[in-house]
Amino acid sequence: MYPRPNVFTCTARIWLREIGFSLTYGALMLKTWRISVIFRVRSAKAVKITDVDLLKRVGVIVGVFSALLAIRTLVAPPHVIVARTADDLKAYLCNTDWWDHSFSISQ
């Protein structure tokens, strides 16, 4: 049912996973930050944090992740391996290396 993986699909899998994580986690982190800034103010003044400010900060987070992913893709592009079962059935898989593990640990 699934297409056979190749270098493009293996790369796209990594990029989509990491960029999706950075967008999700970045939005949650900035929402929490916005609330903490509002409640940290001791005066009666209203704190104004615009949506544009938050989008800029999310852009920085996604930019950092994109730079790390570009380095990862240029230094060690993913490749397809052929795995075999005990019944000698072949399965084509995207190779996971220490880059994938380091991204998982850093999250």
Side-chain angles (χ1 to χ4, degrees), residues 1-18 69 72-73 77-81 92-96 100:
M1 290 180 72
Y2 298 104
R4 181 181 290 182
N6 56 26
V7 174
F8 176 74
T9 57
C10 290
T11 304
R13 177 184 62 92
I14 294 168
W15 275 77
L16 291 174
R17 180 184 64 212
E18 299 302 329
L69 284 167
R72 187 253 190 264
T73 304
H79 59 277
V80 179
I81 59 172
Y92 296 93
L93 304 169
C94 295
N95 188 23
T96 56
D100 295 317

